[in-house]
């Protein structure tokens, strides 16, 4: 689960670099279970979610598939929507929630969604600067809307962590990628990583996770740049709406202690 725009694609790419892993990255199937049956009761949706994820997570039959032996299953969801349903369906399965410093995630989300340029880092930054120079009072409501959406994702993760103690691992973007092989896999998911798998994980971090196959550019650290181009309305929405939740999530990173 994740807050969006906070490293989830990087983590999915890292996990998919290991042949033994099955990765469903933002599959539409869980979303459809959540939203298709408007009249279904909670327990029914839990039942359908358990059935759907069990079916699509089955190991490939080696007799009819040329895929390597798969022994681990991971789902990367679109956000933390559905975390209560999935946790109820699989109460013993550990999970992770990725989050990011409020201004950084706001700028990243606004830049990509306004421009329709997911993954085009340089163009997003360049054109976002132009947009910020043309602000008006009406557009400021966009920042509040996005901050409230992000806040809801954070609240869902916090609530699930409280309902299922020990099952959720809170991870801030700044700790990627090493937290995956140092903490998440060996200590939280109880998966031992050998030297070959560690090499694969490291290699997967050398490519910007949102780049297309035809445009494989290296990851660029842009924390300072995001703060520099953030408007006052972005900073206010980030501080007032997301700030308290961000602080709470940071305190829930018990693996740092």
């Amino acid at each position: 689960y994740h807050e969006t725009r906070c490293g989830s694609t990087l983590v999915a790419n890292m996990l998919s670099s290991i042949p033994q892993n099955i990765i469903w990255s933002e599959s539409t199937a869980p979303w459809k279970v959540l939203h298709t049956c408007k009249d279904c009761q909670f327990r029914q949706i839990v039942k359908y979610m358990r059935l759907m994820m069990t079916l699509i997570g089955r190991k490939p039959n080696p007799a009819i598939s040329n895929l390597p032996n798969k022994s681990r299953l991971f789902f990367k969801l679109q956000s933390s929507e559905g975390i209560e349903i999935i946790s109820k369906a699989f109460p013993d399965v550990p999970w992770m929630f990725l989050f990011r410093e409020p201004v950084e995630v706001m700028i990243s989300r606004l830049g990509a969604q306004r421009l329709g340029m997911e993954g085009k880092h340089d163009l997003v930054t360049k054109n976002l600067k132009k947009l910020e120079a043309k602000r008006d009072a009406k557009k400021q409501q966009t920042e509040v809307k996005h901050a409230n959406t992000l806040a809801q994702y954070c609240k869902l993760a916090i609530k699930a962590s409280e309902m299922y103690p020990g099952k959720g691992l809170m991870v801030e973007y700044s700790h990627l990628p090493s937290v995956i092989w140092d903490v998440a896999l060996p200590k939280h998911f109880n998966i031992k990583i050998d030297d070959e798998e560690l090499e694969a994980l490291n290699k997967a971090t050398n490519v910007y996770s949102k780049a297309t196959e035809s445009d494989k550019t290296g990851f660029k650290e842009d924390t300072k740049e995001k703060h520099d181009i953030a408007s006052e309305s972005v900073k206010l929405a980030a501080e007032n709406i997301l700030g308290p939740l961000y602080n709470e999530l940071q305190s829930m990173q018990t693996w740092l202690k």
Side-chain angles (χ1 to χ4, degrees), residues 3-5 80 97 100-111 113-114 135 139-156 231-246 249:
E3 190 183 4
T4 73
R5 305 296 300 184
S80 62
F97 178 73
R100 191 173 184 178
E101 192 278 331
V103 170
E104 295 169 25
V105 73
M106 283 280 290
I107 286 295
S108 186
R109 183 179 172 89
L110 286 167
Q113 292 200 3
R114 284 181 184 174
R135 309 221 27 93
K139 286 185 178 180
Q140 291 180 8
Q141 298 305 311
T142 301
E143 279 77 352
V144 173
K145 177 182 177 181
H146 280 283
N148 282 326
T149 298
L150 294 170
Q152 182 62 20
Y153 295 153
C154 294
K155 290 176 182 178
L156 287 171
S231 65
E232 286 303 313
S233 57
V234 167
K235 293 177 181 178
L236 283 172
E239 179 182 357
N240 295 332
I241 299 174
L242 292 172
L245 294 168
Y246 172 66
L249 286 167

Side-chain angles (χ1 to χ4, degrees), residues 16-22 58-62 65-72:
S16 65
S17 71
I18 299 177
Q20 289 85 350
N21 295 342
I22 298 176
R58 292 179 299 176
K59 291 184 180 180
N61 187 336
S65 173
N66 61 358
L67 294 174
N69 182 41
K70 302 289 185 178
S71 58
R72 307 165 187 150

Side-chain angles (χ1 to χ4, degrees), residues 37 196 200 208:
C37 185
E196 185 177 344
Y208 178 41

Side-chain angles (χ1 to χ4, degrees), residues 60-253:
N61 187 336
I64 60 176
S65 173
N66 61 358
L67 294 174
N69 182 41
K70 302 289 185 178
S71 58
R72 307 165 187 150
L73 173 64
F74 294 91
F75 284 88
K76 174 204 166 188
L77 286 302
Q78 282 85 345
S79 61
S80 62
E81 184 183 15
I83 191 171
E84 184 178 2
I85 295 288
I86 297 173
S87 294
K88 184 69 174 179
F90 302 95
D92 296 324
V93 174
W95 51 268
M96 177 170 61
F97 178 73
L98 297 171
F99 65 98
R100 191 173 184 178
E101 192 278 331
V103 170
E104 295 169 25
V105 73
M106 283 280 290
I107 286 295
S108 186
R109 183 179 172 89
L110 286 167
Q113 292 200 3
R114 284 181 184 174
L115 302 173
M117 300 164 66
E118 186 79 20
K120 299 293 185 180
H121 173 273
D122 292 334
L123 291 175
V124 167
T125 301
K126 178 181 178 181
N127 287 282
L128 186 57
K129 289 179 180 179
K130 294 179 181 179
L131 284 172
E132 294 301 341
K134 300 178 181 179
R135 309 221 27 93
D136 58 45
K138 184 178 180 179
K139 286 185 178 180
Q140 291 180 8
Q141 298 305 311
T142 301
E143 279 77 352
V144 173
K145 177 182 177 181
H146 280 283
N148 282 326
T149 298
L150 294 170
Q152 182 62 20
Y153 295 153
C154 294
K155 290 176 182 178
L156 287 171
I158 292 171
K159 181 180 178 181
S161 182
E162 293 171 346
M163 292 178 64
Y164 299 90
K167 296 304 177 184
L169 180 72
M170 304 304 186
V171 174
E172 186 172 0
Y173 171 85
S174 59
H175 297 296
L176 295 174
S178 61
V179 66
I180 300 302
W181 56 71
D182 286 340
V183 178
L185 290 176
K187 298 180 180 179
H188 187 63
F189 293 103
N190 197 28
I191 296 174
K192 294 182 179 180
I193 300 298
D194 59 30
D195 292 341
E196 185 177 344
E197 291 173 326
L198 180 58
E199 182 180 355
L201 292 171
N202 264 296
K203 186 176 180 180
T205 68
N206 293 329
V207 176
Y208 178 41
S209 59
K210 295 290 187 180
T212 62
E213 286 298 327
S214 61
D215 182 29
K216 286 295 184 183
T217 55
F219 174 77
K220 298 181 180 180
E221 175 55 51
D222 58 355
T223 297
K224 183 179 184 302
E225 190 173 26
K226 281 182 166 57
H227 281 268
D228 289 343
I229 65 175
S231 65
E232 286 303 313
S233 57
V234 167
K235 293 177 181 178
L236 283 172
E239 179 182 357
N240 295 332
I241 299 174
L242 292 172
L245 294 168
Y246 172 66
N247 293 335
E248 185 172 359
L249 286 167
Q250 281 191 310
S251 69
M252 295 173 73
Q253 295 182 113

Side-chain angles (χ1 to χ4, degrees), residues 21-60:
N21 295 342
I22 298 176
I23 310 294
W24 285 94
S25 184
E26 300 199 11
S27 166
T28 59
W31 188 92
K32 288 181 179 179
V33 171
L34 290 173
H35 296 281
T36 300
C37 185
K38 300 297 183 181
D39 297 324
C40 287
Q41 297 180 357
F42 180 85
R43 59 180 178 81
Q44 291 176 298
I45 300 177
V46 169
K47 177 182 177 181
Y48 298 149
M49 185 68 75
R50 184 185 300 115
L51 176 62
M52 179 277 299
M53 297 183 87
T54 299
L55 287 174
I56 69 174
R58 292 179 299 176
K59 291 184 180 180

